[in-house]
Amino acid sequence: MRYLKDKHDRGYWGEPASEYWELVFPLCEEHNIPFVPIDWFELDVWNAFDPFNGYSDVERKELEQRDDHWFAEQMETYQFGEIPFNSKEFDRVTRQKYEWLHQVNAKAQNFRWVVRNQIMIQRVKNTIEAHPGKRILCIVGADHNYIFQEELMIEPVELLYPLR
C-alpha cells in the first residue's frame, strides 16, 4: 500500500477512504500500532469486470437503478445495532445484494467479490499468524462484514462481531 511507502501520498481511486487518514492512521502512529493493509483490487483490470458490461444502455440504466435500490435498502438498516451498518440486518440485505449481482454477471461477481474477499481474508489470516496472541482490529467496508464473519468464525480466534 502506498501509505506505508509515503505517508503523504493519498494516491488515486481505490486508496484508503478518508476515515483511514482521519482516524486509523493517526491512531496507529500515536500508539505505535502496526498497520497491515488487506484490501485488494487492481485498477488495470477492475473496470473490465464491471458487472453491467455487455448490457445495452437501457438495460444498464435499469440495472444501475436496481443497484441504487439495493444501496438504499442497505442504508435503511442504519438504526439496527449500536454502530450503523454493523448489524445482522445490514448483513442480510448486503448478502441479497451480492446474490443479485451474481445473477447479473457471475464472472464479474466472482472477480470483484468472491476472489477479492478470499485474498483479503487470507491477508487477515496471515496477520493473525504473524502476531499470535495479539488483539487485531480488522477494518473493512461494511459490505464485507458478513463474508469476513463467516470465514473468520471458523478460525481459532475470538471474533467479536458485530461490534458493541
Side-chain angles (χ1 to χ4, degrees):
M1 179 176 143
R2 294 168 80 155
Y3 168 77
L4 295 176
K5 293 177 185 168
D6 178 355
K7 295 184 189 307
H8 302 288
D9 182 0
R10 292 204 178 200
Y12 52 88
W13 179 79
E15 288 293 314
S18 63
E19 294 85 359
Y20 283 81
W21 297 96
E22 296 164 10
L23 302 170
V24 176
F25 296 151
L27 176 72
C28 289
E29 289 172 9
E30 181 181 337
H31 296 283
N32 200 28
I33 300 169
F35 176 80
V36 180
I38 65 164
D39 199 0
W40 177 85
F41 61 82
E42 299 192 20
L43 199 53
D44 63 327
V45 292
W46 184 260
N47 292 329
F49 287 88
D50 180 320
F52 307 140
N53 280 351
Y55 288 94
S56 71
D57 289 343
V58 171
E59 291 169 320
R60 181 180 192 87
K61 185 173 178 144
E62 289 173 4
L63 290 167
E64 288 171 344
Q65 288 174 345
R66 178 65 191 201
D67 193 44
D68 290 344
H69 172 75
W70 279 114
F71 181 75
E73 281 195 44
Q74 287 177 293
M75 295 302 102
E76 286 298 315
T77 67
Y78 76 91
Q79 75 272 15
F80 295 102
E82 294 181 36
I83 300 172
F85 317 119
N86 191 256
S87 66
K88 293 181 187 313
E89 291 80 7
F90 179 85
D91 293 347
R92 179 185 49 76
V93 172
T94 303
R95 178 187 301 277
Q96 291 171 342
K97 169 186 168 181
Y98 286 100
E99 288 171 356
W100 168 74
L101 281 167
H102 179 79
Q103 293 171 357
V104 170
N105 186 330
K107 185 176 181 179
Q109 181 65 2
N110 185 58
F111 177 79
R112 281 190 165 193
W113 192 244
V114 176
V115 172
R116 180 179 179 208
N117 277 292
Q118 288 172 335
I119 291 169
M120 292 169 64
I121 290 166
Q122 186 58 51
R123 287 181 171 164
V124 171
K125 291 177 184 180
N126 294 348
T127 302
I128 292 168
E129 186 177 309
H131 302 278
K134 298 288 184 177
R135 293 175 61 186
I136 296 172
L137 174 62
C138 180
I139 301 171
V140 296
D143 279 20
H144 299 275
N145 286 349
Y146 78 90
I147 198 161
F148 270 60
Q149 180 189 15
E150 286 175 5
E151 292 294 321
L152 294 175
M153 69 187 309
I154 61 176
E155 294 298 314
V157 297
E158 179 184 359
L159 180 66
L160 302 177
Y161 179 80
L163 295 176
R164 304 176 265 295

